[in-house]
Amino acid sequence: GGGESGGGEGGGGGRGASPAAAAKVSAAAAEAAAQAGELLAAKTAALLVVGDEILSGATADVNIQAAAAALRAGAVALRRVTVVGDDLAEIEAELRLLAATHDLVITSGGVGPTCDDVTLKAVAAAFGTQLAPSDAMRGAIRERLSGEGSPSDARPLADEVVDKMSLLPAGARLRDLPPAPGARGEASGAVQWPLLQVGHVFVLPGVPAFFAAKVNGLVAHLVSGGAPVLKRSASLSTPEVELAPLINRLAATHPAVKLGSYPSFP
């Protein structure tokens, strides 16, 4: 058996207001911070994982753990994780809910060039706007995927691919992140690719290496978290059933401390 304790966490923007109003407050605060070159103040976060391949079991998700670790290191409490398929209406509905109840929302997946990649369209709908061509994104695509600096054997991209991937929600921002120290290969390339921000929603790719680099860069360079969370753990050989009375008494005596027991079996 084992145990873990941590300080209490809280936050969330716009509590007490309607969901739409709360989302607008958080989005406006994020936009103001971006314009001023300041960090986005965030105590709470939510992660929306998009992909039929996740729900069908065809692909094992590892992005939840990457996001949780990065956010915890940045003193941002990951409060909710939602997984949805490649359904426009479902993605939009979940985004509206998460944006109304969290300071920061991160999405994973659904940003590629194929017909099942509908996350950006859902983000636009959730914010009451439309997709619009972005010259900045078009230039980034041409430069990184089929132009100077791309692999020598890269083929020119089809116009329809570039056209689709350069459509962004109106008002979206492309945020450049510095390369992570010592990053090489996929992780380095992912950080060099611009990060898409719409209000307090950050749209990340679903490919694990790219997602991990992006979420670490996001938390390190664009977000200011709350009070640091203090964590203490103990590994014991005592069966959990024997420790349970002690753990429960400690939890009742110290309600501000989160206690948990995570047994492992041979």
Side-chain angles (χ1 to χ4, degrees), residues 4 7-12 15 42-49 61-83 98 101-108 200 202 204 211 215 218-219 223 225-227 229 258:
E4 175 183 319
E9 301 164 348
R15 297 284 172 85
K43 292 183 179 180
T44 62
L47 173 64
L48 178 61
V49 179
D61 174 80
V62 296
N63 292 343
I64 295 174
Q65 184 177 19
L71 290 166
R72 187 182 184 101
V76 182
L78 179 59
R79 289 299 197 193
R80 184 179 296 271
V81 175
T82 303
V83 183
L98 298 177
T101 51
H102 298 82
D103 302 325
L104 168 68
V105 179
I106 300 170
T107 71
S108 164
H200 57 307
F202 289 82
L204 275 61
F211 180 89
V215 74
L218 164 63
V219 175
V223 174
V229 177
K258 288 188 174 181

Side-chain angles (χ1 to χ4, degrees), residues 73-159:
V76 182
L78 179 59
R79 289 299 197 193
R80 184 179 296 271
V81 175
T82 303
V83 183
V84 296
D86 298 307
D87 183 279
L88 179 61
E90 290 186 4
I91 300 171
E92 177 188 350
E94 290 297 333
L95 275 172
R96 289 181 182 274
L97 173 63
L98 298 177
T101 51
H102 298 82
D103 302 325
L104 168 68
V105 179
I106 300 170
T107 71
S108 164
V111 294
T114 56
C115 59
D116 59 330
D117 294 311
V118 295
T119 298
L120 290 175
K121 185 179 291 187
V123 172
F127 278 89
T129 187
Q130 301 289 328
L131 292 179
S134 168
D135 292 338
M137 178 58 86
R138 179 178 292 272
I141 294 169
R142 290 295 190 191
E143 177 185 354
R144 290 168 172 82
L145 295 185
S146 61
E148 183 179 352
S150 63
S152 58
D153 59 350
R155 299 178 180 179
L157 295 176
D159 288 341

Side-chain angles (χ1 to χ4, degrees), residues 224-247:
S224 173
V229 177
L230 303 180
K231 175 183 176 181
R232 296 291 184 271
S233 62
S235 297
L236 306 173
S237 59
T238 308
E240 183 182 44
V241 291
E242 296 181 16
L243 287 172
L246 173 60
I247 294 173

Side-chain angles (χ1 to χ4, degrees), residues 175-216:
R175 309 295 301 272
D176 290 320
L177 298 173
R184 291 185 175 88
E186 288 184 331
S188 176
V191 174
Q192 293 172 10
W193 192 270
L195 183 64
L196 178 62
Q197 176 183 359
V198 184
H200 57 307
V201 175
F202 289 82
V203 183
L204 275 61
V207 178
F210 297 165
F211 180 89
K214 286 296 187 192
V215 74
N216 282 303

